Amino acid sequence: PIKFDWQRSSMKAFSINKKRRFVADGVFYSELNELFQRQLAEDGYAGLEVRATPVRTEIIIKATRTQDVLGEKGQRIRELTSVVQKRFNFPEGGVEIYAERVANRGLNAQTQAESLKYKLLGGLAVRRACYGVLRFVMESGAKGAEVSVSGKVRGQRAKSQKFSDGYMIKTGHAYDEFVETAVRHVMMRQGILGVKVAIMLPHDPKGINGPKSLLSDVITILEPKVDDGY
């Protein structure tokens, strides 16, 4: 569960009940995500993580090009820190923003959705762009991938196209754990295209490229122990 504590700095005067705290935390996360999505789209923005400590709130931006996020001599990240600090009434030094490189960009849905968006804006054919993304995701070690594009792809009639590869689950707790999705809106000349990328992550015992837990239908049969005493 995500725990943010930005109210502690700005709402010391009165306590906030749990229900409102969760709503406020969700709004805080959504607003930050929207800001970074718009500002850092070209730098491979791939999500954020918020850690609340008693001293300050730490915001970790995940991106593929961390140097571009930091900017020249860290100027850009200082500007973002200042914007967040003023918007949410943090005290001086109450919020800190860090940039972290994504371990495997081929397994990150947000990065791939952004990549597809720029391919389409560059004039690449929809089918070619989607298959390019699918191939890259599968080569990166994903269990399965699905890309769908809907809108006025060709001509005046809007339609939806879906491209998929590998194994993909759609429901249950395993979906929440294993499938990562991202949606982007592409402002084309003929209208807006909706792009959705879903990636099914592989099982990773270390928890770096995917969940540590196995899928519920994966059964491991252990060999019986050989006892030399008999």
Side-chain angles (χ1 to χ4, degrees):
I2 304 162
K3 288 183 183 175
F4 309 126
D5 210 8
W6 63 276
Q7 285 92 354
R8 196 172 281 182
S9 58
S10 58
M11 297 189 181
K12 279 182 182 174
F14 59 93
S15 62
I16 182 167
N17 70 29
K18 276 190 180 177
K19 197 191 286 185
R20 287 189 177 178
R21 167 64 56 88
F22 275 108
V23 172
D25 289 347
V27 169
F28 176 62
Y29 182 87
S30 300
E31 207 166 313
L32 278 181
N33 194 39
E34 183 77 19
L35 169 71
F36 296 146
Q37 235 175 57
R38 291 183 183 189
Q39 294 293 322
L40 311 170
E42 291 178 24
D43 308 312
Y45 172 71
L48 77 140
E49 193 183 323
V50 182
R51 290 181 192 153
T53 63
V55 184
R56 61 172 178 262
T57 303
E58 294 175 355
I59 298 164
I60 295 132
I61 297 171
K62 294 175 184 175
T64 51
R65 294 199 288 274
T66 46
Q67 204 54 50
D68 294 340
V69 173
L70 293 169
E72 200 175 323
K73 295 178 183 174
Q75 187 188 343
R76 196 173 185 194
I77 208 150
R78 282 199 300 272
E79 285 172 6
L80 287 170
T81 308
S82 176
V83 167
V84 172
Q85 188 180 312
K86 283 173 184 164
R87 167 66 185 87
F88 296 105
N89 301 324
F90 280 107
E92 195 67 44
V95 64
E96 201 75 52
I97 299 179
Y98 304 102
E100 185 185 279
R101 190 181 294 277
V102 175
N104 189 344
R105 68 192 182 99
L107 296 177
N108 191 287
Q110 293 205 46
T111 310
Q112 292 312 309
E114 209 64 59
S115 162
L116 181 57
K117 176 182 170 179
Y118 283 104
K119 279 181 180 178
L120 294 172
L121 285 170
L124 197 64
V126 172
R127 190 178 289 270
R128 195 170 176 188
C130 291
Y131 278 126
V133 168
L134 271 184
R135 191 170 63 248
F136 182 71
V137 169
M138 294 306 288
E139 282 171 2
S140 299
K143 245 186 170 179
E146 192 175 271
V147 176
S148 53
V149 177
S150 57
K152 287 200 273 188
V153 179
R154 192 185 295 143
Q156 280 300 301
R157 186 69 185 230
K159 60 177 180 176
S160 184
Q161 290 185 343
K162 198 178 275 186
F163 307 89
S164 56
D165 196 1
Y167 177 61
M168 176 68 69
I169 52 173
K170 298 283 184 178
T171 56
H173 174 66
Y175 175 84
D176 298 334
E177 213 174 0
F178 279 85
V179 181
E180 198 177 281
T181 57
V183 175
R184 289 291 181 274
H185 308 300
V186 190
M187 309 295 180
M188 302 291 278
R189 197 176 60 191
Q190 70 268 28
I192 300 177
L193 288 182
V195 165
K196 186 178 179 182
V197 176
I199 298 171
M200 181 151 171
L201 303 170
H203 163 66
D204 184 5
K206 291 179 181 174
I208 298 165
N209 289 328
K212 285 183 181 180
S213 56
L214 283 161
L215 276 167
S216 51
D217 59 352
V218 173
I219 299 163
T220 312
I221 298 168
L222 302 172
E223 287 293 320
K225 287 181 183 176
V226 178
D227 201 339
D228 298 331
Y230 297 98

